[in-house]
Amino acid sequence: MSNSIHGKVVVITGASSGLGEATARHLASEGAKLVLGARRLDRLQALAGELGLPAAAAVETDVTDAEQVKRLVDAAVAAHGRIDVILNNAGLMPHSPLERGKIADWDRMIDVNLKGVLYGIAAALPHMTRQKSGHIINVSSVAGHKVRPGSAVYAATKAAVRMLSEGLRQEVKPYNIRTTIISPGAVPTELPDSITEPDVAKGIHDFYEQFALPAESFASMVAFAMSQPEDVDINEILFRPTR
Ligand code: NDP
């Protein structure tokens, strides 16, 4: 694997909007070979077309289904012969106080934010261990460091992603695989749209209006971690709006 981004084969989950989409744009501009996953295939196809990627670069993927995530990763290896990076980015954030008992929202967060990341690891590791190179980038959050009222389940999934990533880091050293956790602060994306409680959604929208950073801030963190020399493993990045 070279130091630069150019030519690296990168799989991105949750590439149909927000941080994943912004990262796809950034990495495409630096010459990465991208394979994009999400459920909204029309959005992926439009993005792939805009970035000049082959049609096969857009793969309809629900990360709650391990087989679909495997198919996404295998599509990258079939097309390019290898996978250099997986960005396990798909996620949702339906905040609510626990007393409201939004069990369906809790289940979705665990399935997408935690199990989806696990399935990405499961799909990429066989290729990366065989290659003896690779880079697994998992998206956590400031909420993975700090819990607030209303964010308990989301924060729990994001803290779990950090713990999982640290365990992974230690296990994959023999295979020359790098692991990075990126914990963004507020970025205005479609993420608050996943909130099912109107009063909670309003509070989050108001907060984002005041404090949010552009999605490109996240994309440049991904690019930074990817473009380090191969013997440098950026394990964790936590960033927030300066304000
Ligand atoms: P968006 O809602 O804009 O994007 C979320 C992406 O995840 C979409 O592409 C969506 O695609 C995808 N997704 C959701 N569910 C599934 C699923 N079951 N299978 C596959 N893909 C899925 O939000 P962001 O870009 O902000 O979120 C990206 C990541 O960043 C998340 O993990 C989030 O928790 C994290 N994050 C975001 C912050 C922010 O302020 N924006 C702050 C901290 C962390 P589709 O619906 O087409 O499947």
Side-chain angles (χ1 to χ4, degrees), residues 14 16-17 19 39-40 62-63 89 154 158 187 189-190 208:
S16 61
S17 67
L19 305 185
R39 292 167 304 173
R40 289 171 292 179
D62 185 334
V63 298
N89 163 75
Y154 180 72
K158 292 301 187 177
V187 177
T189 62
E190 296 174 20
Y208 274 52

Side-chain angles (χ1 to χ4, degrees), residues 29-134:
S29 75
E30 298 211 25
K33 296 175 179 166
L34 300 175
V35 177
L36 310 175
R39 292 167 304 173
R40 289 171 292 179
L41 186 60
D42 53 337
R43 301 264 293 247
L44 292 180
Q45 286 172 332
L47 179 62
E50 195 189 315
L51 299 178
L53 306 177
V59 182
E60 184 175 352
T61 309
D62 185 334
V63 298
T64 66
D65 180 339
E67 268 310 307
Q68 292 189 34
V69 183
K70 182 174 183 308
R71 207 167 59 215
L72 169 70
V73 168
D74 289 350
V77 176
H80 303 292
R82 57 184 293 112
I83 171 173
D84 295 309
V85 180
I86 183 165
L87 176 62
N88 288 309
N89 163 75
L92 72 164
M93 188 189 72
H95 283 341
S96 63
L98 290 167
E99 67 182 18
R100 295 195 194 173
K102 305 281 292 187
I103 292 174
D105 283 350
W106 304 347
D107 286 343
R108 281 198 302 147
M109 280 189 274
I110 292 166
D111 287 346
V112 176
N113 298 2
L114 178 54
K115 291 169 77 176
V117 171
L118 273 170
Y119 296 157
I121 292 168
L125 265 188
H127 300 293
M128 291 181 174
T129 53
R130 180 177 38 78
Q131 293 168 183
K132 286 239 169 15
S133 81

Side-chain angles (χ1 to χ4, degrees), residues 167-184:
L168 175 70
R169 180 188 73 78
Q170 296 175 38
E171 290 185 21
V172 298
K173 283 183 197 190
Y175 301 105
N176 191 39
I177 296 170
R178 304 195 289 184
T179 63
T180 302
I181 304 157
I182 305 186
S183 295

